[in-house]
Amino acid sequence: MNLENRVIPRLLCTLSICAFTCFSSLAMGQEPAEGDAMFAIVIHGGAGGNPAEWTEEYREARRAGIGKALDRGVKMLQSGALALDVVEEVVRIMEDDPVFNAARGAVLNEQGEHELDASIMDGKTLACGAVASVRSFKHPISLARKVMTETRHVLLMGDGAEKFGKTQGLETADPSYFRTERRVEQWRRWKSKQSTSMHEQNKPESYFGTVGCVVCDTQRNLAAATSTGGLMGKRWGRVGDSPIVGAGNYADNGTCAVSGTGIGEEFIRRNIAADVAARMRYGHTPLSDSAEQSVGTLPENAGGVIAVDAKGNMVIECNTVGMSHGFADSSGTRAVRLTREK
Ligand code: GLY
């Protein structure tokens, strides 16, 4: 189906895959052999932007980045790794890749500096950790995990998060490590066209690239991790949805694991990630319908979510033209796409 025909009316697209229970009916991948432990993983490299307008080189770089992170996650799951370890490792790989808007390659704020947000959540225990506006850690997602495991808090920000992180032996880097030519160029363009219109500032090209991963491991545990540089030209001190548990990231074994990408303010207003879970919990709504309904409450072009439940159902839902993502499961399914279509 022509993507335009589908996205123009509502700019809403859904991919739903019943991984463990009805995979053969979709004729994708193979049925897991009896006795095989089952798993599912979905990752995203951000919503927004129009892949048709990118160079083939850039499209390929994004596909390669998603593929590399996805394959590492699959390998870990095949070895029986826990969901929480997998989501952290996959997001670390994407934080290292300058093609994404997370850690190295993060977008720049209005002052031309980077401020990084991340969160991680364990669906088995509801333990979670997050950091906001950090600047010197190569892997903000690992700092978020340290907040979860080494403090009695959920969210640390700015200088406090930096100070805490330095006591944890995590790898740090100079500002130049995070800054890429592409982002500096984008920032210059943003600066030269800087508009006072909020609509202009929230155009899709200003926010694509957040990364996220949701996993159902072989023990049916769920976890979610999300990391971002936020929005291009964001105000100094602005915090988006990615480190806000329930808004841009959520995991609960009883419902689902969700990672969001898009205009963080819209996700915070609607508590989108937790809203997907709430529709499942209270409305007994299946994962795909829950994700579609939650994303359906967002303004057009605001972004999307990836989600997985404890049966291994996987969902990609967005109301933007582009949303780089990949998904795989124990039946042999594997796909990497820049939009829902390809
Ligand atoms: N969704 C990323 C942000 O708004 O910061």
Side-chain angles (χ1 to χ4, degrees), residues 57-77:
E57 189 186 6
Y58 185 60
R59 281 194 290 268
E60 194 39 48
R62 289 181 75 82
R63 282 194 206 101
I66 298 266
K68 179 180 169 191
L70 183 67
D71 291 344
R72 174 72 184 130
V74 167
K75 208 163 187 167
M76 290 177 76
L77 287 161

Side-chain angles (χ1 to χ4, degrees), residues 1-296:
M1 188 198 279
N2 181 321
L3 180 62
E4 276 207 345
N5 291 342
R6 186 169 40 244
V7 297
I8 295 302
R10 263 182 85 207
L11 280 169
L12 188 67
C13 54
T14 307
L15 170 66
S16 168
I17 306 158
C18 307
F20 298 159
T21 49
C22 58
F23 222 95
S24 55
S25 68
L26 293 171
M28 292 169 72
Q30 303 158 333
E31 284 289 337
E34 205 173 314
D36 275 3
M38 293 180 282
F39 62 79
I41 174 170
V42 190
I43 73 178
H44 71 77
N50 183 352
E53 293 168 2
W54 300 343
T55 64
E56 183 49 33
E57 189 186 6
Y58 185 60
R59 281 194 290 268
E60 194 39 48
R62 289 181 75 82
R63 282 194 206 101
I66 298 266
K68 179 180 169 191
L70 183 67
D71 291 344
R72 174 72 184 130
V74 167
K75 208 163 187 167
M76 290 177 76
L77 287 161
Q78 283 168 338
S79 314
L82 294 177
L84 195 63
D85 293 330
V86 176
V87 295
E88 181 186 2
E89 174 65 12
V90 166
V91 166
R92 281 174 65 97
I93 290 169
M94 296 174 93
E95 287 177 336
D96 286 341
D97 189 335
V99 83
F100 301 112
N101 172 19
R104 186 159 179 241
V107 298
L108 304 174
N109 67 12
E110 63 181 358
Q111 296 170 314
E113 294 166 350
H114 62 274
E115 291 176 287
L116 312 172
D117 299 339
S119 70
I120 189 165
M121 186 159 185
D122 180 359
K124 185 178 178 184
T125 60
L126 302 186
C128 47
V131 290
S133 299
V134 295
R135 291 168 186 258
S136 58
F137 292 91
K138 277 191 167 180
H139 299 110
I141 198 65
S142 295
L143 182 55
R145 187 164 178 184
K146 289 286 189 190
V147 172
M148 174 180 132
T149 57
E150 307 303 322
T151 80
R152 59 194 169 93
H153 306 302
V154 165
L155 170 61
L156 294 183
M157 61 160 290
D159 289 348
E162 292 277 334
K163 260 188 191 158
F164 164 70
K166 281 167 189 155
T167 68
Q168 299 299 310
L170 297 174
E171 210 178 346
T172 57
D174 223 50
S176 60
Y177 166 81
F178 300 95
R179 184 179 294 253
T180 62
E181 265 312 303
R182 168 179 283 271
R183 294 304 184 199
V184 171
E185 188 45 44
Q186 279 177 351
W187 182 80
R188 286 201 186 108
R189 276 204 306 274
W190 171 83
K191 196 83 183 154
S192 68
K193 287 188 202 158
Q194 199 178 341
S195 160
T196 49
S197 145
M198 282 208 295
H199 175 74
E200 285 292 310
Q201 289 175 18
N202 279 343
K203 275 191 168 168
E205 55 270 29
S206 76
Y207 60 83
F208 67 83
T210 292
V211 305
C213 177
V214 292
V215 161
C216 171
D217 70 22
T218 54
Q219 296 172 41
R220 310 293 177 110
N221 288 315
L222 306 182
T226 306
S227 180
T228 190
L231 303 182
M232 174 62 75
K234 65 186 181 181
R235 193 169 283 226
W236 174 82
R238 176 263 188 191
V239 176
D241 60 315
S242 304
I244 306 297
V245 173
N249 201 64
Y250 193 71
D252 173 6
N253 278 7
T255 53
C256 58
V258 182
S259 170
T261 165
I263 303 169
E265 285 73 5
E266 303 295 357
F267 282 67
I268 294 170
R269 286 182 185 116
R270 294 166 183 80
N271 208 28
I272 287 291
D275 185 65
V276 177
R279 287 173 195 274
M280 293 182 74
R281 179 173 296 282
Y282 303 118
H284 307 288
T285 309
L287 178 69
S288 60
D289 293 343
S290 296
E292 183 179 349
Q293 288 166 15
S294 296
V295 172

